[in-house]
């Protein structure tokens, strides 16, 4: 049987003098450029030379001429040129050459012109291989406008196709190698189109490519530089992409997949709620190409279950690594940091679910059923128990400093603000320790108190809660927290919600001080009075004026001008500031109240009733008011 032409015949044709010979050689070469036979590919590349390849490519694009051939062969030339270029680039040394890098703009131009889709796969393969092979290739790719090309193409590529896979890998490569802050700043609209297209693939695919889409979406949306992209996504008129995201996340979380993939799905869910709000988790929108719409609570329950499992596993790992594993290994420290990073994601998700439940239980109810609420609350109680055990373990090991400890306090504070009676005994037992916890960069406890304010405000509405707080010195910790919050140099000076939580907690305590038999000591009183006078002095906000003056009035009930002036650092100018504050608040009381001011009527009553009791003991304030 006669054998067909071999590699040597192919090489002889490629080295021929006429274009027809070289074309015939290239057509034959496609048989020998398959697989990983790099030696044969290199011999063929050396034989044909880059000059002819470049001329063939440009001819196929309508920019050049192959001698002796008709112009109606352009599509065939283009297909042949792109096919052999992609094959040659399977050899990294060829792919990284300046000749191949120089062709990147031409291949992008082919894609951007929307030519026959049969060449797409080889175009993407060429671009990917050149970009992987050298930094110059990747830089040239980005500078030549790959972002515009990818985002305009990706939504039109066939579901699950190799072209789609290559385009996704190309995007992953760009995101992993080039500065994300620059990409997000320069191409937020293009990235939003990519996210929308990938979200659909993430939902509808049932192959390994689904997880490629998951990792790509997670990387894009969770980047700390993604703010411009988030803004662009919020303005997208068609929000089907958000529904596709939810469908894809549910599919991953309810299947048996690798733990790393579940974690990526949780990261993506956290990014979606940060971007669109917690309501995304229970949205009921449907999309036409998904037959069975999700039950309203499916995503909520899966995200919660997966998050609480992560929390339990991660807290156990962190405790082991901190207290039992070898401390000499740098690997241990790196592993702890990775676990803490993952823990932050799981905690953030649980905190957002607490908000969903809080809104769902409010007036008018919500789309969440009673049975679902019961399941969620049971699981949140169990998770809170696990977190408290982690803190108990840290206490027993004499540890009170760490961002993971602080994050644990935050999640406890968030949940107990909604369910103050949950884990009641454990919380009471651990409260002194919890209030002493510091973050890695803190010199004194502050954030632990701040995170507990929603809970502390709730429990101090009753006398028993005030007693619990006072028994561990927590009332002083809240005073110090408020002083720091309203300091003129505080970065949280505009965080009105947190400031007024601290104010309400202190008000609750002061209003019940006689009932519980505990007073605010002179030092704490003087410190707080100085801060309140300064906070209210430069504002016309009636809510600030009335809140500050009410707390001051309650403090004045238990002391005198003489005692206060003896406190270290308390000077006459502070007393003058307090005099102005009380005078302004009493003047407001005598005015015709607006609708907003009527909301402060209880505070007006505290100030006016208090003034009648303590004015004789504060002559300077009385003089300022009566002036």
């Amino acid at each position: 049987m006669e054998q067909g032409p071999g590699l040597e015949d192919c090489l002889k044709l490629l080295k021929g003098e006429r274009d027809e010979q070289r074309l015939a050689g290239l057509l034959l070469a496609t048989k020998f450029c398959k697989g990983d036979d790099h030696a044969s590919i290199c011999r063929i590349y050396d034989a044909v030379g880059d000059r002819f390849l470049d001329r063939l490519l440009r001819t196929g694009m309508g920019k050049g001429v192959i001698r002796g051939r008709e112009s109606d062969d352009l599509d065939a030339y283009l297909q042949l040129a792109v096919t052999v270029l992609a094959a040659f680039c399977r050899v990294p040394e060829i792919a990284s050459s300046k000749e191949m890098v120089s062709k990147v703009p031409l291949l992008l131009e082919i894609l951007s012109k929307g030519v026959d889709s049969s060449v797409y796969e080889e175009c993407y393969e060429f671009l990917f291989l050149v970009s992987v092979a050298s930094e110059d290739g990747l830089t040239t790719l980005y500078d030549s406008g790959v972002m515009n090309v990818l985002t305009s193409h990706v939504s039109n590529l066939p579901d699950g196709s190799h072209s789609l896979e290559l385009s996704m890998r190309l995007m992953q490569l760009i995101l992993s190698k080039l500065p994300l802050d620059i990409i997000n700043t320069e191409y937020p609209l293009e990235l939003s189109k990519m996210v929308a297209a990938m979200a659909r693939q993430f939902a509808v695919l049932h192959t390994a490519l689904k997880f490629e889409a998951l990792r790509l979406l997670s990387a894009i949306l969770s980047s700390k530089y993604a703010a411009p992209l988030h803004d662009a996504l919020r303005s997208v008129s068609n929000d089907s992409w958000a529904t596709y995201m939810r469908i894809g996340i549910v599919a991953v979380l309810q299947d048996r997949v690798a733990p790393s993939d579940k974690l990526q799905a949780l990261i993506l869910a956290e990014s979606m709620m940060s971007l669109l709000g917690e309501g995304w988790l229970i949205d009921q929108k449907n999309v036409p190409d998904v037959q069975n719409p999700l039950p309203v609570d499916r995503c909520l329950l899966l995200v919660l279950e997966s998050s609480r499992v992560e929390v339990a596993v991660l807290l156990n790992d962190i405790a082991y690594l901190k207290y039992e594993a070898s401390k000499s290994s740098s690997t241990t420290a790196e592993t702890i940091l990775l676990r803490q990073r993952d823990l932050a994601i799981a905690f953030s998700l649980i905190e957002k679910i607490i908000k969903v439940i809080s809104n769902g239980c409010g007036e008018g109810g919500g789309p969440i059923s009673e049975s679902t609420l019961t399941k969620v609350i049971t699981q949140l109680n169990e998770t809170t128990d696990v977190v408290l055990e982690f803190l108990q373990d840290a206490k027993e090991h004499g540890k009170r400093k760490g961002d993971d400890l602080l994050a644990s306090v935050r999640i406890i504070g968030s949940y107990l603000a909604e369910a103050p009676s949950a884990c009641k005994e454990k919380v009471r037992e651990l409260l002194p320790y919890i209030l002493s916890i510091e973050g890695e960069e803190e010199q004194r406890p502050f954030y632990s108190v701040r995170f507990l304010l929603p809970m502390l405000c709730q429990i101090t509405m009753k006398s028993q809660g005030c007693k619990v707080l006072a028994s561990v010195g927590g009332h002083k910790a809240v005073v110090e927290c408020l002083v720091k919050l309203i300091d003129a140099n505080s970065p949280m000076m505009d965080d009105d919600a947190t400031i007024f939580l601290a104010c309400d907690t202190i008000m609750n305590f002061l209003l019940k001080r006689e009932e519980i038999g505990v007073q605010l000591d002179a030092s704490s009183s003087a410190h707080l009075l100085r801060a309140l006078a300064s906070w209210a002095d430069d504002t016309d906000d009636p809510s600030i004026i009335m809140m500050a003056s009410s707390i001051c009035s309650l403090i004045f009930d238990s002391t005198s001008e003489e005692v206060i002036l003896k406190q270290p650092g308390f000077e006459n100018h502070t007393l003058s500031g307090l005099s102005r504050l009380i005078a302004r608040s009493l003047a407001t009381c005598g005015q015709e109240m607006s609708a907003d001011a009527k909301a402060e009527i209880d505070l007006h009553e505290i100030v006016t009733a208090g003034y009648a009791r303590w004015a004789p003991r504060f002559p300077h304030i009385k003089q300022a008011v009566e002036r």
Side-chain angles (χ1 to χ4, degrees):
M1 182 177 178
E2 186 178 344
Q3 290 185 330
L7 178 59
E8 296 303 324
D9 299 314
C10 172
L11 296 174
K12 188 180 295 184
L13 286 170
L14 290 172
K15 292 175 183 177
E17 295 182 359
R18 300 193 313 277
D19 284 347
E20 288 89 340
Q21 291 174 300
R22 292 173 180 171
L23 279 171
L26 271 184
L27 286 168
L28 187 57
T30 57
K31 291 170 52 181
F32 302 103
C33 287
K34 294 178 180 179
D36 297 324
D37 187 357
H38 288 187
S40 296
I41 293 174
C42 287
R43 289 185 69 190
I44 293 169
Y45 178 69
D46 291 339
V48 68
D50 183 71
R51 185 175 298 179
F52 181 74
L53 286 173
D54 195 65
R55 204 151 48 85
L56 178 63
L57 179 63
R58 291 177 182 277
T59 299
M61 296 175 66
K63 295 185 175 187
V65 177
I66 292 290
R67 290 188 293 275
R69 308 298 293 185
E70 298 296 329
S71 60
D72 58 3
D73 289 335
L74 295 187
D75 289 344
Y77 294 158
L78 184 63
Q79 179 74 66
L80 178 60
V82 173
T83 298
V84 295
L85 284 170
F88 289 148
C89 286
R90 290 169 197 153
V91 180
E93 293 79 11
I94 298 175
S96 62
S97 67
K98 63 181 182 179
E99 289 81 12
M100 292 298 143
V101 171
S102 70
K103 291 176 178 55
V104 166
L106 294 175
L107 272 289
L108 284 173
E109 184 180 337
I110 292 168
L111 288 171
S112 66
K113 286 184 174 178
V115 296
D116 187 346
S117 60
S118 61
V119 302
Y120 285 175
E121 185 174 321
E122 284 85 0
C123 283
Y124 279 120
E125 184 178 4
F126 172 88
L127 294 171
F128 178 72
L129 292 171
V130 171
S131 301
V132 168
S134 72
E135 289 186 9
D136 284 347
L138 184 60
T139 302
T140 302
L141 180 78
Y142 185 78
D143 292 342
S144 301
V146 67
M147 295 298 294
N148 288 312
V149 173
L150 277 179
T151 53
S152 63
H153 255 239
V154 71
S155 59
N156 296 318
L157 294 175
D159 293 347
S161 64
H162 190 50
S163 297
L164 180 66
E165 181 181 0
L166 287 169
S167 69
M168 289 164 60
R169 289 187 178 178
L170 205 51
M171 180 60 78
Q172 286 174 332
L173 182 66
I174 292 166
L175 295 174
S176 65
K177 298 291 186 181
L178 297 176
L180 285 178
D181 55 336
I182 295 176
I183 295 173
N184 275 282
T185 301
E186 292 182 346
Y187 295 105
L189 184 60
E190 288 76 11
L191 280 173
S192 70
K193 292 178 182 177
M194 172 64 74
V195 167
M198 285 297 101
R200 183 181 172 279
Q201 296 297 321
F202 178 44
V204 303
L205 291 177
H206 300 286
T207 64
L209 203 53
K210 184 185 198 74
F211 298 96
E212 293 289 337
L214 168 61
R215 286 184 277 275
L216 179 58
L217 288 167
S218 176
I220 293 175
L221 288 175
S222 65
S223 165
K224 64 181 179 179
Y225 303 110
L229 166 62
H230 288 186
D231 290 339
L233 283 168
R234 289 187 193 102
S235 64
V236 172
S237 56
N238 183 355
D239 61 356
S240 293
W241 67 275
T243 303
Y244 284 125
M245 287 286 200
R246 191 163 50 255
I247 293 167
I249 288 169
V250 165
V252 172
L253 294 181
Q254 68 186 5
D255 287 345
R256 292 183 179 180
V257 299
S260 59
D261 290 325
K262 285 208 172 185
L263 180 60
Q264 289 299 317
L266 292 178
I267 291 171
L268 188 55
E270 199 279 335
S271 298
M272 289 300 296
M273 283 190 273
S274 296
L275 185 111
L276 298 177
E278 294 81 12
W280 168 85
L281 198 61
I282 52 174
D283 201 329
Q284 290 181 286
K285 291 188 178 71
N286 298 317
V287 285
D289 46 356
V290 176
Q291 296 296 321
N292 301 312
L294 295 174
V296 66
D297 59 359
R298 177 70 58 80
C299 193
L300 168 68
L301 292 172
L302 283 169
V303 170
L304 175 58
E305 175 61 24
S306 299
S307 298
R308 59 189 291 271
V309 168
E310 286 290 323
V311 166
V313 171
L314 290 167
L315 288 180
N316 186 63
D317 285 355
I318 291 169
Y320 171 78
L321 291 166
K322 276 187 168 184
Y323 311 133
E324 297 181 41
S326 170
K327 304 297 187 298
S328 60
S329 171
S330 61
T331 307
T332 300
E334 291 171 8
T335 305
I336 290 174
L337 285 174
L338 288 173
R339 297 290 188 276
Q340 289 174 334
R341 183 200 64 188
D342 296 342
L343 180 65
I345 296 296
F347 272 166
S348 178
L349 283 165
I350 290 175
E351 192 169 358
K352 286 176 168 61
I353 288 171
I354 291 168
K355 290 181 182 177
V356 171
I357 297 304
S358 174
N359 294 335
C361 293
E363 291 184 15
I368 305 172
S369 68
E370 286 297 324
S371 61
T372 297
L373 282 174
T374 301
K375 289 178 187 175
V376 170
I377 290 168
T378 299
Q379 293 186 6
L380 289 174
N381 284 340
E382 292 172 0
T383 298
T384 302
D385 226 11
V386 168
V387 176
L388 288 169
E389 286 175 9
F390 174 71
L391 292 176
Q392 178 70 44
D393 197 18
K395 178 188 174 185
E396 291 171 0
H397 283 86
K399 304 293 184 183
R400 65 181 188 87
K401 197 175 188 72
D403 289 342
D404 49 2
L405 299 178
L406 199 57
S408 299
V409 174
R410 175 169 176 156
I411 201 71
I412 288 169
S414 295
Y415 182 55
L416 295 185
E418 304 299 331
S421 60
C423 311
K424 197 172 186 178
E425 294 305 317
K426 275 192 178 181
V427 172
R428 181 171 181 173
E429 180 187 337
L430 277 173
L431 190 56
Y433 168 72
I434 291 173
L435 290 170
S436 74
I437 287 173
E438 300 170 351
E440 292 291 352
E441 304 300 322
E442 287 188 289
Q443 302 305 313
R444 297 180 62 186
F446 166 69
Y447 282 102
S448 56
V449 183
R450 181 187 170 206
F451 293 151
L452 287 178
L453 282 175
M455 180 198 78
L456 297 178
C457 189
Q458 283 284 328
I459 68 170
T460 53
M461 294 174 83
K462 295 182 179 179
S463 299
Q464 183 59 35
C466 290
K467 284 183 181 179
V468 170
L469 186 64
S471 69
V472 298
H475 57 305
K476 295 180 183 179
V478 177
V479 166
E480 291 302 312
C481 179
L482 176 59
V483 168
K484 190 164 184 177
L485 282 167
I486 61 178
D487 184 273
N489 297 317
S490 170
M492 290 162 283
M493 184 69 173
D494 295 327
D495 187 359
D496 290 343
T498 302
I499 289 172
F500 278 91
L501 270 175
C503 288
D504 286 338
T505 305
I506 293 169
M507 286 275 291
N508 290 342
F509 174 81
L510 291 172
L511 286 167
K512 298 176 182 67
R513 64 194 183 283
E514 293 184 3
E515 186 180 344
I516 65 174
V518 181
Q519 299 285 349
L520 198 60
D521 63 71
S523 174
S524 296
S525 295
H527 195 193
L528 181 54
L529 288 170
R530 283 198 303 270
L532 291 169
S534 176
W535 179 43
D537 209 29
D538 295 325
T539 184
D540 293 321
D541 186 334
S543 61
I544 291 177
I545 293 168
M546 292 312 303
M547 178 60 80
S549 61
S550 299
I551 295 175
C552 290
S553 182
L554 291 170
I555 292 173
F556 292 158
D557 262 334
S558 305
T559 187
S560 68
E561 186 175 299
E562 182 181 359
V563 172
I564 290 293
L565 284 171
K566 288 179 181 177
Q567 294 302 310
F570 198 97
E571 313 217 352
N572 285 327
H573 70 84
T574 302
L575 188 59
S576 298
L578 290 169
S579 300
R580 288 191 298 273
L581 171 60
I582 298 298
R584 291 171 74 192
S585 65
L586 288 172
T588 303
C589 295
Q591 294 172 357
E592 187 71 26
M593 286 192 293
S594 66
D596 289 338
K598 286 177 182 175
E600 314 294 341
I601 191 167
D602 290 343
L603 301 181
H604 285 286
E605 290 176 358
I606 289 172
V607 177
T608 52
Y611 180 77
R613 293 190 300 270
W614 52 253
R617 288 180 277 115
F618 286 85
H620 281 87
I621 295 178
K622 183 178 180 183
Q623 184 181 3
V625 170
E626 295 177 356
R627 186 178 300 144

